[in-house]
């Protein structure tokens, strides 16, 4: 059991060394130095980059600054996806640090949601938690909680407080003793090569005969191309929090231990590096 | 104090054509339909949440402000991956079940989607023509 709790901590404290560079066409009064930061995998870009914004605003004229947005190799980064998901999906097998370009102009209205305040991030985060509980418990656990419990989940994330967060989140990870797991598993599968942003379907963690479904069972059911070997070789990696869990892992265990704070399993299918 | 010509010109609202796009999606998580929409001016400039909000009829605004779960937020369209505005779906079951129970008592035929869309659509400018309600029983699907 100690091992399982360690997984929770390892997931929470995962970091990605990142180098932020100002977009060259932004108008500055002096040269902008790059800014280095360790980003928490489990958080959101707009929640943890106040220092980045301040750093670049120092060399810019006030009128040149509007809503900040981030881009990696030409792709606008969706702030509403957790940072670890963005990295795994777009840059998992590239050299560190992760190089992100910072913009203050020409907000890509067709690609990115606006994020005018921390309230927007909180609303999005809580909406994900509620949807996850709708799947796991028909919303019973989240609806029984008081407003202050909801607030504690958000404050735990915002202030990087593992114990504060899990004091409440553990209730969202419980299930009735007569069941073997949640009603449905909250998950999303992402693949950068498809037009569709993600796949999300209803999936039960336990089969009718009582056997626990595995990660492999989930993929076979909703995304078979991810694991069917072409020419006997596995061309893709199935990645969660930067690692490839064994396909035999019970999906119920993955949901309890490797979900993001929003209670979803965000799974990336990425090309396997050929070296 | 009478208005002079320049003030009158300022008071008249500039008329702009807005193009609304509505998508009806199904949420498997909440097991209800969800209305996604976006709007832009003819030059392609998208409306902001503020501008959308201003176009919501005054009688609905008070109701929307009451509960955070009935509000309009910007979300990623789950199939297109682009920003849309959405009416939050978690209250849908509540108001739909009270309507459905009522109509069942009268043994009236009910088309769930028309019932639902005629309730939420007008809030965001989508008004269903009455002809939708006049569909005969043989053209309706009963909800169960």
């Amino acid at each position: 059991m100690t091992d399982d709790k360690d997984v929770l901590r390892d997931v929470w404290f995962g970091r990605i060394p990142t180098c932020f560079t100002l977009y060259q066409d932004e108008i500055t009064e002096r040269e902008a130095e790059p800014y280095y930061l360790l980003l928490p995998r489990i958080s959101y870009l707009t929640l943890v980059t106040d220092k980045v914004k301040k750093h670049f605003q120092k060399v810019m004229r006030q009128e040149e600054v509007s809503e900040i947005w981030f881009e990696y190799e030409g792709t606008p980064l969706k702030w509403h996806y957790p940072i670890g998901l963005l990295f795994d999906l777009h840059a998992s097998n590239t050299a560190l640090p992760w190089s992100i370009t910072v913009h203050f102009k020409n907000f890509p209205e067709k690609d990115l949601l606006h994020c005018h305040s921390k309230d927007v991030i909180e609303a999005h985060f809580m909406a994900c938690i509620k949807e996850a509980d709708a799947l796991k418990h028909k919303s019973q656990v989240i609806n029984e909680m008081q407003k202050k419990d909801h607030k504690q989940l958000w404050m735990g994330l915002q202030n990087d407080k593992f114990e504060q967060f899990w004091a409440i989140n553990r209730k969202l990870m419980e299930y009735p003793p007569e069941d073997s797991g949640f009603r449905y598993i909250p998950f999303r599968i992402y693949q950068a090569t498809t037009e569709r942003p993600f796949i999300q379907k209803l999936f039960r963690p336990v089969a009718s005969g009582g056997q626990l479904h595995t990660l492999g069972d989930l993929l076979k059911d909703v995304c078979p191309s991810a694991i069917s070997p072409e020419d006997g070789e596995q061309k893709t990696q199935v990645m969660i929090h930067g690692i490839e869990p064994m396909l035999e892992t019970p999906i119920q265990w993955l949901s309890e231990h490797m979900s993001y704070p929003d209670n979803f399993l965000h799974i990336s299918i990425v090309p396997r590096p050929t070296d | 104090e009478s208005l002079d010509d320049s003030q009158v010109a300022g008071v008249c609202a500039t008329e702009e054509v807005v193009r609304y796009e509505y998508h009806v999606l199904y949420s498997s998580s909440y097991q209800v339909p969800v209305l996604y929409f976006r709007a832009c001016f003819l030059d392609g400039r998208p409306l902001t949440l503020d501008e959308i909000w201003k176009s919501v009829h005054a009688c609905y605004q008070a109701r929307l402000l009451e509960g955070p779960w009935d509000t309009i937020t910007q979300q990623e369209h789950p199939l297109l991956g682009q920003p849309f505005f959405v009416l939050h779906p978690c209250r849908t079951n509540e108001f739909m079940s009270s309507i459905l129970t009522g109509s069942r008592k009268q043994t009236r035929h009910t088309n769930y989607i028309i019932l639902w869309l005629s309730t939420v659509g007008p809030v965001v400018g989508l008004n269903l023509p009455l002809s939708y309600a006049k569909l005969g029983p043989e053209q309706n699907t009963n909800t169960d």
Side-chain angles (χ1 to χ4, degrees):
Chain A
M1 298 316 143
T2 346
D3 288 333
D4 280 3
K5 281 217 86 183
D6 287 344
V7 172
L8 299 182
R9 284 190 171 270
D10 288 342
V11 166
W12 182 271
F13 291 106
R15 296 287 186 266
I16 296 171
T18 308
C19 173
F20 290 92
T21 310
L22 186 64
Y23 183 56
Q24 60 200 20
D25 287 359
E26 299 284 338
I27 306 198
T28 58
E29 298 187 329
R30 352 178 246 294
E31 173 142 5
E33 296 276 310
Y35 190 87
Y36 291 83
L37 192 57
L38 282 174
L39 295 179
R41 273 182 162 276
I42 50 131
S43 193
Y44 302 95
L45 278 172
T46 44
L47 190 55
V48 298
T49 49
D50 283 345
K51 291 200 178 129
V52 177
K53 193 160 77 159
K54 282 200 182 81
H55 168 82
F56 290 116
Q57 282 179 337
K58 278 204 296 253
V59 303
M60 295 175 68
R61 285 206 306 255
Q62 189 48 42
E63 56 269 24
E64 300 293 337
V65 175
S66 74
E67 189 176 348
I68 194 172
W69 59 278
F70 305 96
E71 161 247 307
Y72 173 70
E73 295 196 341
T75 305
L77 294 175
K78 298 180 180 179
W79 66 262
H80 69 286
Y81 286 6
I83 291 167
L85 167 63
L86 290 171
F87 179 78
D88 290 345
L89 195 57
H90 297 298
S92 53
N93 291 301
T94 63
L96 295 172
W98 187 20
S99 295
I100 292 183
T101 307
V102 181
H103 293 257
F104 288 98
K105 290 207 305 274
N106 298 318
F107 191 87
E109 303 280 350
K110 284 227 153 24
D111 299 300
L112 299 183
L113 303 181
H114 282 284
C115 189
H116 294 303
S117 73
K118 299 277 186 292
D119 293 342
V120 178
I121 313 174
E122 180 180 2
H124 165 70
F125 176 66
M126 292 311 301
C128 290
I129 289 191
K130 285 178 191 250
E131 184 179 350
D133 204 56
L135 288 166
K136 290 199 274 186
H137 305 116
K138 292 204 242 193
S139 303
Q140 279 160 9
V141 178
I142 196 72
N143 285 346
E144 260 166 29
M145 285 182 184
Q146 296 172 6
K147 243 191 143 27
K148 68 176 174 72
D149 293 336
H150 294 177
K151 223 24 174 172
Q152 190 168 328
L153 289 169
W154 166 247
M155 297 304 289
L157 176 73
Q158 187 178 25
N159 301 323
D160 194 24
K161 295 272 191 275
F162 175 84
E163 301 289 353
Q164 185 186 28
F165 176 81
W166 274 98
I168 307 297
N169 200 53
R170 62 176 185 80
K171 298 187 220 171
L172 294 169
M173 294 302 179
E174 290 168 353
Y175 48 88
E178 59 270 20
D179 298 335
S180 315
F182 304 135
R183 182 163 193 250
Y184 296 110
I185 298 292
F187 74 89
R188 289 193 178 147
I189 300 178
Y190 304 79
Q191 216 166 347
T193 50
T194 58
E195 192 188 299
R196 192 168 167 178
F198 56 80
I199 300 172
Q200 181 181 344
K201 294 208 173 113
L202 294 179
F203 188 82
R204 292 196 189 275
V206 192
S208 46
Q211 321 95 290
L212 291 174
H213 281 140
T214 64
L215 176 59
D217 292 333
L218 172 70
L219 292 167
K220 234 180 299 189
D221 195 37
V222 311
C223 191
S225 56
I227 52 170
S228 54
E230 296 163 28
D231 309 324
E233 227 186 77
Q234 195 52 265
K235 294 248 167 75
T236 56
Q237 289 179 304
V238 177
M239 196 171 283
I240 313 178
H241 295 296
I243 62 157
E244 281 188 86
M246 289 170 59
L247 295 181
E248 295 82 6
T249 316
I251 197 76
Q252 176 64 30
W253 186 92
L254 281 172
S255 183
E256 289 175 47
H257 296 87
M258 292 192 71
S259 290
Y260 281 75
D262 64 4
N263 278 230
F264 269 83
L265 274 173
H266 296 287
I267 303 167
S268 302
I269 312 291
V270 295
R272 184 172 293 279
T274 51
D275 51 28
Chain B
E1 200 180 293
S2 60
L3 295 169
D4 66 16
D5 282 352
S6 61
Q7 283 175 300
V8 169
V11 159
C12 288
T14 337
E15 278 186 17
E16 289 234 39
V17 176
V18 177
R19 186 171 164 263
Y20 277 81
E21 191 183 332
Y22 298 94
H23 295 219
V24 174
L25 275 74
Y26 178 73
S27 162
S28 53
S29 304
Y30 291 105
Q31 305 192 334
V32 291
V34 188
L35 185 60
Y36 283 70
F37 65 99
R38 61 182 173 187
C40 55
F41 297 102
L42 288 183
D43 61 5
R45 182 168 64 88
L47 267 73
T48 63
L49 184 52
D50 268 348
E51 288 165 326
I52 295 273
W53 186 252
K54 286 200 181 79
S55 67
V56 171
H57 199 286
C59 69
Y60 295 112
Q61 281 188 9
R63 180 71 189 92
L64 283 179
L65 286 169
E66 259 172 60
W69 313 121
D70 300 327
T71 208
I72 301 171
T73 54
Q74 210 189 19
Q75 307 276 332
E76 177 184 44
H77 189 293
L79 298 172
L80 301 178
Q82 293 173 10
F84 273 70
F85 294 107
V86 188
L87 274 181
H88 202 276
C90 70
R91 280 273 167 83
T92 304
N93 253 325
E94 249 177 71
F95 71 76
M96 284 304 294
S97 27
S98 47
I99 301 173
L100 287 168
T101 334
S103 68
R104 252 172 233 152
K105 288 206 183 101
Q106 299 169 42
T107 61
R108 277 180 29 213
H109 293 276
T110 51
N111 179 309
Y112 185 100
I113 289 293
I114 291 178
L115 258 177
W116 166 79
L117 195 54
S118 60
T119 310
V120 301
V123 179
V124 292
L126 178 60
N127 295 296
L128 281 189
L130 280 176
S131 50
Y132 278 89
K134 292 180 195 160
L135 289 175
E138 64 280 1
Q139 288 161 295
N140 262 318
T141 32
N142 276 339
T143 52
D144 45 24

